[in-house]
Amino acid sequence: MSAIRTILRPVGRRVRIVAAQTCWEPSLSQISTRAVCTSTSTNTQQDHCANATSNGTWQSAIRRQHSTMTPFYSSRCRIGATSMERRHFSSPSSQTKLAYEWIVDGKVVPQSKMEGVTAGEDGKEIIVFLHGLLGNAKNLRTPAKKLTQQLPHYHALLLDIRGHGNSSSSNTPHSQPHNFESCVQDIFDTLGPLGLIGSRSPTAICGHSLGGRIALQYSHFLCTTAAAASNRHQSQQQSSSIIEPPKQTWVLDSVPGRADPSVHGVLRAISSLPTPIPSKSWVVDTLIKEHKMNKAIAMWIATNLRESSDSFEWIFDLGIANELVENFTDQNIPQMIHDVTVVGKEEDSNQFSSVQLVMAGKNNSWTDGVVEELQSIPSFRKRSSSLPSKVSLFDMHTLEKAGHWVHVDDLDGLLSLMVGGLQRR
């Protein structure tokens, strides 16, 4: 897998955005107390750890100028020229890059019982879930469980992104740079060993907040690669050994632009805490007294501690988290959605992915200007002959009752959207 990684990264640098908006991500200034888990919480409660309600503001300082920006799609052929090699896998191996867990029929299934999936024997479709900043795969267990209950022909693969959960540096070494391209490479280096390639490639990917950004980056790379490959008349043998683009990309409340200053404040506060950490209660008290932090936020942060010998340690890598946040402005989300959803050849459904953007109604970052710019994307609510008549290439949905953590604040509403969309795929 190391050879594959070497090929991707130069390509990843080549697709870096040349223009970006300056704006704000959801604020962490308010966290719902009902979303904070204690060390004695049940498994169901643990699924809901770190659930925030966002009231941050988006202050758009620079509006992107379409006429002066070099778009992604102008270099699709250059991107695909080397990336086809990157997506090839000769055979599954035993080592995956990221920690993961399977959800089947509403239950967490031991990896040892999923050999049929990795070999492609059960014919099920795969949806990948990616959590948000300072989270882990368990945060999305509840929606994954309910989704696979309602859609039993789907299996859910939940990943811990680099520097988080069981994919933290203490468990898995991660080399520089810590950016979105590297996060996508991690996913490739996990799907390949699991045998999720060719016809077994995930048919959908869903990410919340930071995870939504990574999901879009993943689909963007695969879709632009597929377009170039199609232009070169890719052979059937090649197509059976590569990761195909997902048919649907679900982006949950990932607002374009840079992170809200409160996110940096939380990261600085956590970084300032001395180690070893004696207890979770000590962290909560210190953050409240010395950093004037809201009690609910402090309690949420403490859920990211795990016991180690006679002290506690973080389950995320702060260095990696900080670097990922700094990379927010390297993404031009409207342009990426354009590239993913604008079809080069209408009859070839492998060249694009339907993007479904779910917005939190209580998230003030979704200003009229932001929404209008996204709605100006040509594929917005456009139908394709390659898709069922009720599915748009790009659509935006608002869950009016939800804060930033849409999968907690309005789980039923989110499931209704996703189940309906995946059934119509």
Side-chain angles (χ1 to χ4, degrees):
M1 301 302 291
S2 58
I4 297 171
R5 186 179 305 109
T6 301
I7 295 170
L8 170 64
R9 283 177 176 154
V11 177
R13 287 193 292 271
R14 198 175 300 166
V15 301
R16 183 174 293 279
I17 313 299
V18 298
Q21 290 179 315
T22 300
C23 39
W24 302 117
E25 274 282 72
S27 169
L28 289 179
S29 58
Q30 287 189 349
I31 299 280
S32 173
T33 54
R34 70 182 176 85
V36 177
C37 304
T38 66
S39 59
T40 58
S41 61
T42 64
N43 288 338
T44 300
Q45 289 170 325
Q46 289 172 355
D47 294 349
H48 294 168
C49 283
N51 301 319
T53 56
S54 168
N55 71 339
T57 59
W58 174 320
Q59 301 173 347
S60 183
I62 300 175
R63 291 304 303 274
R64 177 169 52 83
Q65 300 299 320
H66 292 275
S67 60
T68 61
M69 184 175 67
T70 302
F72 274 108
Y73 53 83
S74 66
S75 60
R76 274 185 173 178
C77 292
R78 289 187 288 111
I79 292 170
T82 57
S83 60
M84 274 302 298
E85 297 173 349
R86 192 273 313 147
R87 294 199 300 145
H88 277 276
F89 295 91
S90 57
S91 61
S93 65
S94 60
Q95 186 65 38
T96 61
K97 185 67 174 180
L98 299 176
Y100 65 93
E101 67 179 25
W102 286 103
I103 304 290
V104 177
D105 295 329
K107 299 178 181 178
V108 178
V109 177
Q111 296 177 11
S112 60
K113 294 185 178 181
M114 294 302 292
E115 294 179 357
V117 172
T118 58
E121 294 176 355
D122 65 354
K124 302 292 185 179
E125 296 188 68
I126 308 298
I127 179 170
V128 175
F129 281 89
L130 303 174
H131 61 81
L133 185 70
L134 303 184
N136 59 74
K138 293 179 181 179
N139 297 153
L140 295 174
R141 270 184 179 176
T142 297
K145 287 178 178 179
K146 291 186 175 295
L147 183 71
T148 56
Q149 285 176 329
Q150 295 185 42
L151 297 177
H153 60 288
Y154 269 94
H155 291 338
L157 179 65
L158 280 59
L159 304 179
D160 282 337
I161 67 173
R162 67 163 50 201
H164 292 70
N166 289 323
S167 296
S168 63
S169 298
S170 60
N171 296 305
T172 305
H174 296 285
S175 58
Q176 294 276 7
H178 301 307
N179 55 24
F180 292 111
E181 290 89 347
S182 296
C183 290
V184 169
Q185 181 65 66
D186 292 341
I187 299 175
F188 294 151
D189 290 348
T190 302
L191 298 181
L194 292 176
L196 300 179
I197 58 178
S199 63
R200 294 295 303 139
S201 300
T203 54
I205 186 168
C206 174
H208 172 250
S209 196
L210 169 65
R213 289 172 172 268
I214 298 172
L216 186 58
Q217 189 87 33
Y218 169 92
S219 295
H220 180 271
F221 188 86
L222 293 180
C223 287
T224 53
T225 300
S230 177
N231 291 336
R232 293 195 308 277
H233 306 291
Q234 173 186 313
S235 69
Q236 182 65 33
Q237 182 178 7
Q238 286 177 317
S239 65
S240 66
S241 60
I242 63 175
I243 299 174
E244 299 291 348
K247 301 300 183 184
Q248 292 191 14
T249 302
W250 287 82
V251 180
L252 309 184
D253 211 48
S254 303
V255 185
R258 65 180 180 181
D260 188 273
S262 66
V263 175
H264 294 284
V266 168
L267 291 171
R268 284 194 300 269
I270 296 173
S271 300
S272 70
L273 298 176
T275 55
I277 296 172
S279 67
K280 293 185 177 183
S281 60
W282 176 85
V283 168
V284 173
D285 291 342
T286 302
L287 292 176
I288 292 174
K289 294 177 181 178
E290 297 185 12
H291 298 274
K292 311 302 179 185
M293 192 173 289
N294 178 280
K295 181 178 180 180
I297 298 178
M299 293 178 66
W300 163 64
I301 291 173
T303 65
N304 290 291
L305 288 166
R306 62 184 169 199
E307 195 166 3
S308 177
S309 299
D310 57 349
S311 62
F312 287 80
E313 63 182 11
W314 299 111
I315 62 173
F316 48 69
D317 187 308
L318 281 171
I320 293 178
N322 274 295
E323 290 191 50
L324 290 175
V325 169
E326 292 299 329
N327 274 271
F328 277 21
T329 51
D330 287 347
Q331 283 188 312
N332 187 322
I333 287 180
Q335 186 65 52
M336 294 178 74
I337 293 174
H338 175 280
D339 295 343
V340 168
T341 58
V342 172
V343 184
K345 290 184 177 180
E346 185 73 9
E347 68 274 11
D348 189 350
S349 62
N350 288 328
Q351 294 185 16
F352 68 93
S353 176
S354 170
V355 174
Q356 305 298 312
L357 176 61
V358 180
M359 303 177 294
K362 294 182 178 180
N363 183 356
N364 295 330
S365 297
W366 294 108
T367 64
D368 291 342
V370 173
V371 173
E372 289 171 3
E373 182 171 18
L374 290 167
Q375 290 177 344
S376 71
I377 297 173
S379 56
F380 176 64
R381 291 186 176 168
K382 178 184 177 182
R383 313 300 181 186
S384 167
S385 61
S386 300
L387 292 171
S389 60
K390 293 184 179 180
V391 177
S392 299
L393 289 169
F394 169 49
D395 212 342
M396 300 166 65
H397 316 271
T398 302
L399 296 178
E400 298 291 350
K401 300 178 181 179
H404 180 52
W405 288 75
V406 293
H407 54 287
V408 174
D409 294 341
D410 191 1
L411 177 59
D412 290 340
L414 176 62
L415 286 172
S416 178
L417 290 173
M418 294 190 68
V419 169
L422 293 170
Q423 282 180 329
R424 293 194 297 264
R425 185 189 65 73

